[in-house]
């Protein structure tokens, strides 16, 4: 099967492309480096020729609210039009759990617009909504940092490791289109401030985490339901403690090298 991965050189895209190739599929990583521009449509016709599935895991280069919305709308229109012309039979997109519950988050508003375009197209699709990645905890910490203090919500979330995301995406990509949404999440539901505190302590970061129910998560206040999945999400196998232990050991190995 020929599968095109939009954003195939990114964090998830690289892992996903590798896993699909291990399953003996023909995989094209569609990126600017391979002369594909998902915003303008340049190179899409060539990349999509003969493809059965297109997976979109691309992210905007800027997280400014206006830039995010323009990226997802322009990319969505270009990619879907090229898929229709090429006869693609399954469009898979990686989105985020809880986007409709965070209207003050500009990135989430962009994702909502992207999903609307997909659902309005004639192409069979599967929307995969993931919870936050373990690998993004540093960015979450930075978003709440004021001086040496990190103000974060104690709301619950259920983060997942990127390897587990790629595994789930690979399975869904080669499956039958759902024409609906599936959620994926990690095995543990924990407060955001507590997990970031553990992450900073393990990585020897001196900043102090302060729980604050009014702390905004990239523009939005949270509650325990905002970022957590609904009933029966697909659950990744990697526990945070194991991921953190491995990450810290890898960092130490690299520093020795």
């Amino acid at each position: 099967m020929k599968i095109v991965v939009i954003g195939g050189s990114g964090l998830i895209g690289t892992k996903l492309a590798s896993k699909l190739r291990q399953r003996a599929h023909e995989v094209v990583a569609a990126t600017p480096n391979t002369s594909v521009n998902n915003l303008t449509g340049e190179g899409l016709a060539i990349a999509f020729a003969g493809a059965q599935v297109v997976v979109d895991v691309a992210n905007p280069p800027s997280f400014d609210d206006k830039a995010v919305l323009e990226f997802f709308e322009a990319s969505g229109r270009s990619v879907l039009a090229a898929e229709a012309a090429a006869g693609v039979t399954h469009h898979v997109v990686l989105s985020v759990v809880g986007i409709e519950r965070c209207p003050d988050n500009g990135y989430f508003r962009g994702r909502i617009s992207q999903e609307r375009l997909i659902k309005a197209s004639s192409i069979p699709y599967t929307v995969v909504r993931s919870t936050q990645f373990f690998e993004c905890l540093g960015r979450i910490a930075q978003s709440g940092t004021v001086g040496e203090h990190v103000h974060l919500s104690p709301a619950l979330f259920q983060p997942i490791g990127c390897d587990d995301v790629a595994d789930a995406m690979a399975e869904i990509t080669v499956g039958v289109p759902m024409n609906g949404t599936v959620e994926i999440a990690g095995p543990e539901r924990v407060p955001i401030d507590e997990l970031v505190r553990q992450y900073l302590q393990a990585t020897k970061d001196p900043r102090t985490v302060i729980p604050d129910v009014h702390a905004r998560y990239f523009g939005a206040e949270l509650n325990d339901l905002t970022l957590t999945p609904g009933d029966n999400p697909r659950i990744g196998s990697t526990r945070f403690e194991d991921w953190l232990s491995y990450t810290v050991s890898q960092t130490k190995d690299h520093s020795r090298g």
Side-chain angles (χ1 to χ4, degrees):
M1 181 186 298
K2 180 179 178 180
I3 301 168
V4 179
V5 181
I6 304 290
S9 62
L11 179 62
I12 299 297
T14 300
K15 294 177 181 292
L16 174 60
S18 176
K19 291 178 185 297
L20 291 171
R21 290 188 181 108
Q22 289 171 12
R23 296 184 178 210
H25 295 290
E26 177 188 355
V27 180
V28 174
T31 71
N33 290 336
T34 59
S35 301
V36 177
N37 188 321
N38 53 301
L39 295 179
T40 65
E42 179 185 359
L44 290 177
I46 295 173
F48 290 178
Q52 289 77 44
V53 185
V54 171
V55 189
D56 188 351
V57 293
N59 254 319
S62 167
F63 284 87
D64 172 78
D65 287 0
K66 184 173 182 290
V68 166
L69 184 61
E70 290 175 348
F71 175 88
F72 283 127
E73 290 186 343
S75 177
R77 292 190 181 99
S78 294
V79 169
L80 291 166
E83 288 177 1
V88 170
T89 56
H90 190 186
H91 178 95
V92 183
V93 66
L94 179 61
S95 188
V96 186
V97 164
I99 54 176
E100 72 287 346
R101 297 190 289 271
C102 267
D104 294 330
N105 184 309
Y107 180 81
F108 285 11
R109 291 197 300 271
R111 284 293 187 186
I112 288 174
S113 183
Q114 180 189 42
E115 289 190 15
R116 284 175 180 160
L117 288 170
I118 293 166
K119 293 171 184 177
S121 77
S122 61
I123 301 165
Y125 70 91
T126 303
V127 173
V128 183
R129 286 188 175 185
S130 173
T131 54
Q132 289 62 43
F133 306 155
F134 293 148
E135 289 81 356
C136 293
L137 289 176
R139 182 168 176 259
I140 292 173
Q142 190 59 37
S143 73
T145 295
V146 179
E148 291 300 309
H149 297 103
V150 184
H151 296 261
L152 291 175
S153 171
L156 297 176
F157 74 153
Q158 199 168 332
I160 185 172
C162 282
D163 282 324
D164 288 345
V165 173
D167 283 336
M169 290 292 291
E171 180 181 345
I172 291 165
T173 294
V174 300
V176 176
M178 295 181 179
N179 290 319
T181 301
V182 59
E183 293 185 324
I184 58 176
E188 303 157 296
R189 188 170 291 196
V190 292
I192 295 173
D193 66 310
E194 177 56 34
L195 213 65
V196 171
R197 183 178 295 108
Q198 292 179 34
Y199 172 78
L200 295 181
Q201 289 174 348
T203 55
K204 308 300 182 185
D205 191 309
R207 286 176 291 176
T208 301
V209 176
I210 298 175
D212 180 354
V213 294
H214 299 298
R216 290 184 171 268
Y217 179 84
F218 301 102
E221 284 196 18
L222 307 177
N223 60 49
D224 285 346
L225 300 179
T226 310
L227 299 179
T228 50
D231 297 333
N232 303 314
R234 298 194 182 198
I235 301 297
S237 61
T238 306
R239 297 176 64 84
F240 174 69
E241 181 180 359
D242 297 329
W243 174 86
L244 185 59
S245 176
Y246 175 78
T247 299
V248 170
S249 69
Q250 289 293 103
T251 302
K252 290 179 179 176
D253 288 345
H254 288 155
S255 65
R256 293 192 190 103

